[in-house]
Amino acid sequence: MPEWYGSFGGAYVPETLVPALKALEEAWRTARRDPGFKAELARLSREWGGRPTPLYFAENLTREIGGAQIYLKREDLVHGGAHKFNNALGQGLLAKRLGKTRLIAETGAGQHGVATAMVGAKLALRTEVYMGSVDMERQKPNVLRMRLLGATVRPVDHGAKTLKEAINEAFRDWITNVQTTYYLIGSAVGPHPFPSIVSDFQSVIGKEILRQSKQAWGGHPDLVVACVGGGSNAIGTFQPMLRTPVKLLGVEAGGSGSGLAVGSASLTKGRPGVLQGMRTYLLQDAEGQVLETESIAAGLDYAGVGPEHAFLKESGRVEYTSVTDREALDAFHRLCRTEGIIPALEPSHALAEAMRRARDLPKTARIVVTLSGRGDKDLEVVAQHAPPG
Amino acid sequence: MPHLGETLAARRRSKQPSLLVYMMAGSVPEERFLSTVDALKTAGVTGLELGFPFSDPMAEGPVIQQAATDALRQGFHWPDLLRLLRASSQRLPCAVMTYLNPVLQRGEARALEELHEAGGSALILPDLPVEAARPFRALRRKEKVDTVLLASPATTPDRLALLVRRTEGFLYLVSRYGTTGAGEGTTPSTQGKEGELGPLVARAHELRPDLPVLVGFGVRSREDVERHRSSGADGVIVGSAVQTRLSTGRSPEEIGSFVASLLG
Ligand SMILES: Cc1ncc(COP(=O)(O)O)c(C=O)c1O
């Protein structure tokens, strides 16, 4: 379990959290070798979560684009409606193992909050979720879902009132209640060992893609594309493919794309720094103050990124790019109309870039896009924007 | 002004308790900040911690978070800190407390050199773990700026030994599970239980008898000060209790007499 990805990662936390992080590392080290733990995770993933998810050939979309074949990894079909389930279940079982009685989480789009609330209900752990008040407003259905599942949603009103502030508040709660509480972080971010634990639990996505592509056409995909907020669905997709010849592409949110705006594209527009326990790429000013970000997708609206992505960018193994709000919206509508699938706005960014690349590739090439979640939560946001002309 | 670490060590030797006050630089106009420093000096404060605002202060409670937001909104920058530090350190020994990222972006060597030139004696970074403190310690000889490490009630005995060995100037012992200002709030992130500090202080002194140990986070009353003293600590650090008065417009005299009442 690496603490460092090149010069990225680490555990830059207040001293009060150090013993808890060490205990977590130890719990994970033993759990991952425990057949009982693995069997329980596999059983609940299958029977409660609906795994494995299909690898689906988007035939109509492919025909419309007229280039490479586009396949979708259907994480939108996992219980709860997003890949966040994979990590929330795994860490929830770890929390039980550690004897904790209370779960806390942060959430941006609300999908991680919903997944944590489901796991809290299932495993009988009291659950409280921090969410920026701007995100509560734009992802209302998920706030209602969390409450139905028995979780308390705590609004966060500082700064931009989005994901970064929710993470800060969750850390403050954890520092205060670390003896009883498990911080179930929602992406491959934060101090060691969180990024590698989250990456391990999400790597089920990439493993299934490799197995399913072998079954479907007897080989690997040529190109695999995933959106990057904190980076959990992307690292889960890429991790099992790092030593294969598959070309890997991460897509960040470019926001409105106007002039000087940086959107939320930490890897493509940021510089290394330390935030929320990790050394990684950050959107920051010259003095190291972290900038306010903007994106139509609440789940991508974050100034940092998981440290493994920072490393994969520097090593050149993964290519990272960004897509604007408008391009993501167009891709959203196109998938709705061609395939009868309403995607979340986050993976709509990956989809937009995949469609662009498909045009320049031969019809024999195969692209897999991780469709990290479904779009029910985004209907109001989408309705506020004009449909494509 | 004498060096903060040396002042604290001398007071430990002569068994005089110390009291440091934390205030967020840039949260109020410079003139009022410095008049408050004067009043604190008159009240008998041993030294100052100047907070430099960071956008994401993970270990901070609502009062200091708000003070940081105020300072940043007013456009307070690193050169402003150096100017305020230069003026403050002519009145009292001074440390600077901020988070790692602003210092990294300045460059560790450059930041320490500038702090030293402005009269600063120490740097306190609550998100700098001992494992990452080496570059700062390596600069100590040249710049004479101590890198102060923090311990907490959660710290295990082995780790405490490491922190005591590596800290410079003094050991900052966090009093409770919680953020600054903890113990008074009503939400899960502002409550926080105090730890049993006596054994931690005793072990630190046993390992390094000359090392001052100061207790901070949530210190707001005479009773708190006495409780920490009777746990064997060499002094206390008062942050949110002063900042809340500063931020709500209390006069330097009022703040001075509040701190004098803590000293008894
Ligand atoms: C559907 C969906 N996809 C992607 C993300 C982005 O997170 P990550 O980069 O960790 O996968 C989110 C976050 O909320 C999400 O809800």
Side-chain angles (χ1 to χ4, degrees):
Chain A
M1 200 185 323
E3 169 167 4
W4 293 98
Y5 303 96
S7 65
F8 299 103
Y12 297 91
V13 290
E15 198 54 34
T16 300
L17 295 181
V18 170
L21 292 171
K22 293 208 189 298
L24 175 58
E25 182 173 359
E26 191 46 40
W28 175 226
R29 208 187 291 286
T30 57
R32 71 197 301 200
R33 271 179 291 159
D34 174 358
F37 182 90
K38 286 196 285 195
E40 181 71 349
L41 180 62
R43 185 184 69 81
L44 286 170
S45 297
R46 188 176 63 245
E47 295 171 7
W48 187 50
R51 296 212 75 88
T53 59
L55 181 66
Y56 166 74
F57 178 39
E59 204 177 345
N60 299 341
L61 179 66
T62 298
R63 199 178 319 113
E64 216 181 89
I65 303 291
Q69 301 163 41
I70 300 175
Y71 288 76
L72 305 176
K73 178 57 176 166
R74 298 291 308 276
E75 293 299 295
D76 60 316
L77 295 178
V78 190
H79 181 35
H83 71 292
K84 299 287 179 186
F85 171 89
N86 307 327
N87 168 54
L89 174 60
Q91 287 201 64
L93 293 172
L94 274 183
K96 274 286 203 203
R97 232 179 138 86
L98 283 160
K100 301 298 181 190
T101 55
R102 175 173 176 262
L103 294 180
I104 54 169
E106 85 295 339
T107 196
Q111 289 298 138
H112 176 60
V114 167
T116 305
M118 290 172 352
V119 167
K122 169 75 191 160
L123 302 180
L125 294 164
R126 189 152 64 87
T127 302
E128 296 182 35
V129 181
Y130 290 94
M131 189 170 189
S133 50
V134 165
D135 289 340
M136 286 179 73
E137 185 54 36
R138 61 176 164 169
Q139 308 275 244
K140 254 184 247 145
N142 278 343
V143 175
L144 298 175
R145 290 211 285 162
M146 285 184 264
R147 289 185 177 141
L148 285 174
L149 291 160
T152 304
V153 182
R154 296 194 174 272
V156 178
D157 272 321
H158 332 122
K161 306 172 190 182
T162 57
L163 180 57
K164 175 173 70 89
E165 290 74 24
I167 296 178
N168 286 336
E169 208 50 28
F171 270 113
R172 292 183 187 118
D173 182 319
W174 203 33
I175 291 169
T176 309
N177 301 293
V178 64
Q179 291 157 298
T180 59
T181 297
Y182 185 93
Y183 179 16
L184 207 165
I185 205 161
S187 189
V189 297
H192 176 72
F194 282 123
S196 53
I197 290 178
V198 176
S199 164
D200 278 354
F201 285 130
Q202 291 293 4
S203 66
V204 65
I205 303 173
K207 286 180 194 150
E208 286 180 9
I209 292 174
L210 287 177
R211 198 173 65 233
Q212 291 164 325
S213 53
K214 192 146 181 232
Q215 276 164 4
W217 62 83
H220 291 317
D222 298 289
L223 170 65
V224 171
V225 190
C227 66
V228 179
S232 69
N233 86 87
I235 204 66
T237 302
F238 299 161
Q239 180 54 248
M241 302 180 194
L242 291 176
R243 277 181 218 86
T244 71
V246 178
K247 181 166 167 44
L248 304 173
L249 176 59
V251 184
E252 297 188 295
S256 60
S258 63
L260 292 173
V262 291
S264 309
S266 2
L267 288 165
T268 37
K269 306 228 169 102
R271 320 191 293 286
V274 169
L275 176 71
Q276 297 179 328
M278 57 182 168
R279 182 171 188 278
T280 188
Y281 273 78
L282 303 178
L283 293 168
Q284 55 182 326
D285 71 12
E287 287 195 346
Q289 306 295 350
V290 180
L291 298 175
E292 291 193 358
T293 53
E294 41 110 26
S295 168
I296 195 171
L300 304 183
D301 198 347
Y302 179 53
V305 63
E308 194 169 1
H309 288 293
F311 171 70
L312 292 170
K313 172 197 159 77
E314 289 213 338
S315 77
R317 176 64 188 92
V318 179
E319 180 191 344
Y320 295 90
T321 185
S322 69
V323 150
T324 63
D325 291 347
R326 188 66 251 171
E327 293 165 319
L329 277 166
D330 290 348
F332 172 97
H333 286 291
R334 195 185 279 247
L335 193 70
C336 292
R337 286 182 292 97
T338 55
E339 296 292 339
I341 295 172
I342 302 176
L345 286 170
E346 290 81 7
S348 296
H349 287 71
L351 208 54
E353 186 62 21
M355 289 173 355
R356 182 148 60 204
R357 302 283 169 121
R359 283 186 197 105
D360 299 332
L361 287 170
K363 289 190 164 147
T364 50
R366 294 182 179 90
I367 302 180
V368 172
V369 183
T370 296
L371 195 68
S372 55
R374 68 179 190 225
D376 311 43
K377 68 185 179 63
D378 294 319
L379 302 186
E380 231 181 274
V381 176
V382 171
Q384 285 160 10
H385 290 80
Chain B
M1 265 298 131
H3 192 269
L4 179 64
E6 287 159 17
T7 305
L8 294 173
R11 291 178 73 88
R12 166 158 172 75
R13 279 194 299 276
S14 60
K15 300 194 163 53
Q16 290 171 280
S18 296
L19 187 145
L20 305 186
V21 166
Y22 172 103
M23 295 190 293
M24 179 62 74
S27 62
V28 297
E30 188 163 320
E31 200 178 314
R32 197 151 83 76
F33 191 95
L34 291 174
S35 323
T36 308
V37 174
D38 287 329
L40 291 172
K41 185 179 164 96
T42 309
V45 161
T46 317
L48 277 185
E49 280 178 21
L50 266 68
F52 179 68
F54 177 50
S55 52
D56 295 85
M58 193 200 268
E60 249 53 79
V63 170
I64 293 176
Q65 280 174 49
Q66 187 57 50
T69 304
D70 294 346
L72 289 174
R73 201 167 284 154
Q74 265 136 59
F76 192 79
H77 293 289
W78 185 263
D80 304 313
L81 170 76
L82 296 177
R83 203 180 54 249
L84 197 63
L85 177 60
R86 205 164 283 124
S88 302
S89 64
Q90 276 156 26
R91 295 160 161 90
L92 281 168
C94 287
V96 166
M97 187 159 176
T98 181
Y99 284 75
L100 182 54
N101 201 46
V103 177
L104 288 183
Q105 300 308 322
R106 193 76 183 167
E108 293 100 314
R110 180 177 177 199
L112 288 190
E113 186 186 334
E114 289 172 339
L115 293 179
H116 174 63
E117 276 172 8
S121 317
L123 181 60
I124 309 170
L125 303 169
D127 60 345
L128 177 73
V130 58
E131 290 82 358
R134 195 185 297 270
F136 290 90
R137 291 156 40 79
L139 290 162
R140 167 71 174 77
R141 200 165 319 152
K142 190 156 154 265
E143 307 300 351
K144 301 200 165 37
V145 176
D146 290 329
T147 298
V148 177
L149 300 177
L150 295 88
S152 107
T155 303
T156 57
D158 280 358
R159 192 155 171 97
L160 183 70
L162 178 66
L163 296 170
V164 164
R165 207 161 51 238
R166 299 270 172 86
T167 192
E168 298 164 346
F170 66 98
L171 180 70
Y172 192 136
L173 180 57
V174 172
S175 68
R176 28 177 101 237
Y177 288 89
T179 56
T180 52
E184 205 166 52
T186 52
T187 64
S189 49
T190 58
Q191 288 157 348
K193 278 204 279 302
E194 191 164 295
E196 216 209 307
L197 304 181
L200 289 167
V201 178
R203 173 130 176 93
H205 282 150
E206 191 184 299
L207 291 163
R208 214 174 130 180
D210 60 335
L211 180 72
V213 177
L214 274 73
V215 176
F217 282 40
V219 178
R220 62 172 67 83
S221 68
R222 172 93 189 120
E223 201 177 84
D224 294 334
V225 174
E226 270 166 12
R227 190 173 63 258
H228 295 320
R229 251 179 225 162
S230 64
S231 76
D234 300 289
V236 295
I237 303 164
V238 185
S240 301
V242 167
Q243 183 66 49
T244 193
R245 289 170 166 81
L246 189 66
S247 296
T248 54
R250 301 292 187 85
S251 70
E253 295 68 35
E254 282 175 286
I255 295 175
S257 53
F258 165 67
V259 173
S261 78
L262 297 180
L263 285 163

